[in-house]
């Protein structure tokens, strides 16, 4: 055995796990109660399905459809009792009113496998979920018989609202993919599909009364190329698309057959550029008269906002009226309400007049007035509104359900005010956020929400009492598609994180165990592969930064994360290919002196699909000790030097390291030098990565070590360095020398392998 030493193992993958054993119940989400029996049931082609009523027939047909898809055959359906070689769907007793007492009971089921037969008990919905469980338990291959272990499962969900959101405005997605996504939701027992149909970059729902919404609002001439905000660079490719009302009905019916409610979102009063490009008259009275509204080609928060005129309310009521008719089974209409910039309202004589007339104190109250008028209309049609947590500002609409996305605070406030809450906090369940090292992951919006973080999500935060917690009706992950153009890219971000969320929302909190989940998730991946889902392939090694002491080697196991997968690796920093060495069981690393060794791996599935690069970086030495600073003040000292105009030279203190703070002092397109000095706050011991993205020359010194020192060109370049640091304050000096043209200067940092983000001013002191 090698002696191993790793001072820090930034480890998120559980690579040493053995795949779950055959015979275990590898079901996701974990059922409420599982009691293993003895023996096994062999499903054969002559097994019969026994039904006793209409419910049973429907469920039997559904099971047959699944069996046909999986094994290519259907079973005979009979209505006479069979003691052996049978799957029985039992009728269930309704309550006295003839209905099911509540949603949760409606979703409950029991599934008993004995060696002679299988018994399934539940409502229509319960049977549906029992079939999802059964299909996960059946082996991939059928050879004369497919064996199921004897077991009694009794199952029901923890939350009544189990949601997935999909933004089809930023990038339109075809109906076929939406259906595939719904199939996957059903497989993991989600029951609400939040369809984000309108936003600045495209209006995607046909409204018969206003055809321009889709004629104009669903099209944009091009989209920003990658992340080229400034200077803007477009891809030159027109993008567009919308769903006809017939297609929407088709999707709603498809979802309904899978016990999924589709909740449409019509964004208001902000995120309205596409609607306003089609109907500029609805922004007039707020924006200046000749304001040019357009379907946006970039991402962010825009000033474009509906003007709260009677004409606008009439328009929105018409739109909502048609929308409500298309989604008859949804108790909710989501009206957005997030990220509304109030600039146009503040400048508008009309809005100022409205404030006086309606006694509204500020523009937040104008937003509240806007939302409450819409709420009244939606309520009058027998529906309730959902809004993002910003609708709490300026006074909450009386019957609104709050979708808390800026963390959980909005949800906590709403639950305390006795409003229903759906938790979708960005730091746990934004599936557009990165899952790994941004150096290797496909381009995404940034940040870092790995699988384990999703699994650690609890929709009921400790700030709520038991009674307040009851207002949390569930949770949801959101998939915003700014950087996700294709179904494959959406699936990459959704899976396997969706499996973790399904367990958060369905399974008992007391049963939460990441290691156990991870094993069941691994067992689910070959099935997802067969279903053509482009999930993110699990890491075959512990990724991240590792610090070794002076003398020791690091040896680790590399295991294919899935049966039949191959792992290839390099030790010289190059990107592995299928021609690189195939991983042996163990790799050993021995950095010499200051050498930094990076092991890069890729995984290739039996289907030929390749993973992103997963890397582990090793270095020697000690973590650098933190310093104490007397009377620290937030921010850094700066020194600005303008060689061609010394009168513009400045030094002082600042709370940001962005260059645009000097735009009023000097011409940022001419030669200049900026240096920032201070201390950087490191939150925890670890191997950190620092990155400067810049044009021209840049230097980064941390704790006396010059870790970046390069001259650049007019092109953006990212420079990276890593350093092991103890928690606390470390001296930092950042220098940027601009030599003309457009400038870029960004400082990002993070634990190695776990995503990078821009540093806040509050993370520096001097
Ligand atoms: C949101 O992410 N703006 C709801």
């Amino acid at each position: 055995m090698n002696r191993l030493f790793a001072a820090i193992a930034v480890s998120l993958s559980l690579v040493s796990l053995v795949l779950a054993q055959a015979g275990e119940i590898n079901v996701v989400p974990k059922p409420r109660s599982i009691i293993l029996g003895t023996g096994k049931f062999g499903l054969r082609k002559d097994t019969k399905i026994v039904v006793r009523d209409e419910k049973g027939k429907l469920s039997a047909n559904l099971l047959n459809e699944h069996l046909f898809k999986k094994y290519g055959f259907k079973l005979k359906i009979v209505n006479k009792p069979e003691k052996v070689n049978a799957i029985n769907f039992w009728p269930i007793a309704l309550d006295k009113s003839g209905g099911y007492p509540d949603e949760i009971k409606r979703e409950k089921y029991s599934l008993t496998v004995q060696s002679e037969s299988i018994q399934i008990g539940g409502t229509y919905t319960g049977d549906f979920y029992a079939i999802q469980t059964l299909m996960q338990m059946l082996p991939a291959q059928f050879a004369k018989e497919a064996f199921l272990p004897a077991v009694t499962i009794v199952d029901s969900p923890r939350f009544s609202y189990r949601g997935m959101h999909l933004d089809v405005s930023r990038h339109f997605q075809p109906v076929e993919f939406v259906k595939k996504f719904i199939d996957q939701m059903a497989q993991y027992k989600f029951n609400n599909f939040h369809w984000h149909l309108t936003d600045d970059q495209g209006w995607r729902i046909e409204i018969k009364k206003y055809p321009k919404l889709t004629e104009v609002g669903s099209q944009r001439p091009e989209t920003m190329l990658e992340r080229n905000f400034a200077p803007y660079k477009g891809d030159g490719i027109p993008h567009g698309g919308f769903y006809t009302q017939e297609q929407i009905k088709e999707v709603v019916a498809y979802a309904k057959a899978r016990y999924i409610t589709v909740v449409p979102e019509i964004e208001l009063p902000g995120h309205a550029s596409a609607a306003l490009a089609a109907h500029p008259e609805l922004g007039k009275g707020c924006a200046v008269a000749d304001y040019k509204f357009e379907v946006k080609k970039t991402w962010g928060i825009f000033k474009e906002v509906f003007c709260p005129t009677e004409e606008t309310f009439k328009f929105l009521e018409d739109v909502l009226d048609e929308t409500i008719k298309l989604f008859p089974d949804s108790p909710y209409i989501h009206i957005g309400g997030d990220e509304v910039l109030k600039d146009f309202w503040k400048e508008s004589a009309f809005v100022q007049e409205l404030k006086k007339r309606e006694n509204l104190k500020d523009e937040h109250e104008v937003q509240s007035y806007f939302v409450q008028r819409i709420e009244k209309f939606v309520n009058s049609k027998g529906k309730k509104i959902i809004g993002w947590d910003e609708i709490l500002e300026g006074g909450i609409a009386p019957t609104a359900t709050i979708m808390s996305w800026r963390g959980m605070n909005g949800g906590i406030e709403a639950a305390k005010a006795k409003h229903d809450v759906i938790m979708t906090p960005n730091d746990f369940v934004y599936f557009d956020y990165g899952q790994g090292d941004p150096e290797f992951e496909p381009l995404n919006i940034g940040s870092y929400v790995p699988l384990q973080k999703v699994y650690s999500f609890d929709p009921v935060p400790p700030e709520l009492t038991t009674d307040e917690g009851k207002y949390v009706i569930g949770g949801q992950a959101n998939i915003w598609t700014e950087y996700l153009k294709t179904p494959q890219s959406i699936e990459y971000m959704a899976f396997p994180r969706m499996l973790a969320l399904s367990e958060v929302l369905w399974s008992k909190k007391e049963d939460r165990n990441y290691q156990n989940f991870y094993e069941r998730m691994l067992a689910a991946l070959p099935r997802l592969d067969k279903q053509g889902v482009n999930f993110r392939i699990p890491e075959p090694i512990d990724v991240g930064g590792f610090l070794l002491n002076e003398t020791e080697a690091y040896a680790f196991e590399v295991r294919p994360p899935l049966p039949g997968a191959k792992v290839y690796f390099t030790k010289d920093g190059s990107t592995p290919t299928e021609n690189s060495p195939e991983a042996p069981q163990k790799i050993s690393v021995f950095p010499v002196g200051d050498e930094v060794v990076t092991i890069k791996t890729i995984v290739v599935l039996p289907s030929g699909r390749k993973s992103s690069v997963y890397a582990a970086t090793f270095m020697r030495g000690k973590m650098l000790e933190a310093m104490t600073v007397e009377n620290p003040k937030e921010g850094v000292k700066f020194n600005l030097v303008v060689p061609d105009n010394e009168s513009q030279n400045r030094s002082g203190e600042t709370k940001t390291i962005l260059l645009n703070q000097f735009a009023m002092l000097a011409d940022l397109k001419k030669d200049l030098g900026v240096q920032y000095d201070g201390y950087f706050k490191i939150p925890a011991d670890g191997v950190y990565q620092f990155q400067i993205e810049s044009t021209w020359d840049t230097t980064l010194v941390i704790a006396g070590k010059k870790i970046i020192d390069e001259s650049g060109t007019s092109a953006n370049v990212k420079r990276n360095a890593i350093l092991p640091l103890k928690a606390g304050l470390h001296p930092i000096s950042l220098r940027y020398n601009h030599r003309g043209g457009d400038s870029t200067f960004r400082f990002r940092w993070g634990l190695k392998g776990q995503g990078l983000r821009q540093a806040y001013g509050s993370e520096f002191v001097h």
Side-chain angles (χ1 to χ4, degrees), residues 165 170 194 196 199 265 267 271 301 334 336-339 388-390 403-406 424 426 430 432-433 478 480 482:
H165 153 288
R170 275 51 179 264
H194 171 174
H196 185 80
D199 214 304
E265 180 178 354
E267 269 269 19
H271 285 286
I301 308 176
H334 198 307
D338 60 321
E339 300 178 324
W388 299 110
D389 57 70
E390 285 93 331
M403 206 169 250
S404 189
W405 74 277
R406 296 175 301 175
T424 69
N426 56 345
Y430 263 39
D432 55 333
Y433 286 9
N478 298 336
W480 303 100
E482 285 93 336

Side-chain angles (χ1 to χ4, degrees), residues 506-731:
W506 179 282
S507 306
K508 275 197 309 220
K509 190 179 166 190
E510 309 82 272
D511 279 354
R512 212 82 79 71
N513 176 323
Y514 184 67
Q515 208 148 311
N516 178 277
F517 160 75
Y518 198 86
E519 290 177 41
R520 285 178 287 111
M521 180 210 79
L522 288 181
L525 295 181
R527 190 167 51 245
L528 281 177
D529 199 30
K530 234 176 139 183
Q531 291 165 351
V533 174
N534 186 44
F535 59 86
R536 183 178 187 270
I537 298 168
E539 294 95 339
I541 55 170
D542 285 344
V543 296
F546 296 80
L547 188 65
L548 308 181
N549 76 8
E550 293 306 327
T551 53
E552 284 163 318
Y554 188 81
F556 55 96
E557 294 230 336
V558 177
R559 243 173 224 286
L562 296 177
K566 290 181 187 288
V567 182
Y568 301 92
F569 75 99
T570 61
K571 281 173 142 182
D572 61 0
S574 63
T575 302
T577 68
E578 281 151 293
N579 297 323
S580 305
E582 193 176 334
Q585 285 298 301
K586 287 202 167 154
I587 298 178
S588 143
V589 176
F590 195 87
V592 177
D594 288 340
E595 193 187 7
V596 174
V597 177
T598 298
I599 303 285
K600 290 186 178 171
T601 59
I602 56 163
V603 181
V604 182
L605 296 187
S607 61
R609 187 157 74 82
K610 287 193 196 64
S611 72
S612 301
V613 169
Y614 301 131
T617 298
F618 300 88
M619 59 200 303
R620 289 197 186 284
K622 288 205 175 89
M623 263 189 276
L624 300 176
E625 296 290 338
M627 308 203 32
T628 30
V629 176
E630 298 288 321
N631 304 320
K633 282 167 72 184
E634 193 174 296
V636 285
K637 290 188 178 145
F638 75 87
N639 189 29
L640 171 72
V641 177
V642 185
D644 295 337
N645 188 349
E646 288 181 8
S647 71
Q648 293 175 330
N649 289 0
R650 289 286 184 289
S651 54
E653 301 169 2
T654 175
K655 292 195 176 160
T656 167
I657 55 164
L658 298 177
L659 286 186
N660 60 10
Q661 65 184 311
F662 302 119
M664 304 292 275
L665 289 174
D667 183 346
L668 298 185
K669 291 192 186 254
K670 298 233 171 91
D671 290 7
L672 55 86
V674 187
Q675 181 158 331
Y676 301 100
D677 288 289
Y679 297 84
F680 194 61
K681 264 187 233 172
I682 291 293
D685 294 2
V687 174
Y688 285 87
Q689 180 175 358
F690 298 92
Q691 180 183 77
I692 294 183
E693 178 181 359
S694 77
T695 47
W696 301 117
D697 319 345
T698 190
T699 312
L700 171 63
V701 183
I702 295 182
K705 287 183 182 279
K706 198 177 266 186
I707 53 176
I708 294 176
D709 185 16
E710 282 182 51
S711 52
T713 66
S714 62
N716 276 12
V717 177
K718 288 178 182 153
R719 288 99 162 176
N720 290 286
I722 60 171
L723 206 55
L725 295 170
K726 285 227 160 138
L729 295 176
H730 293 270

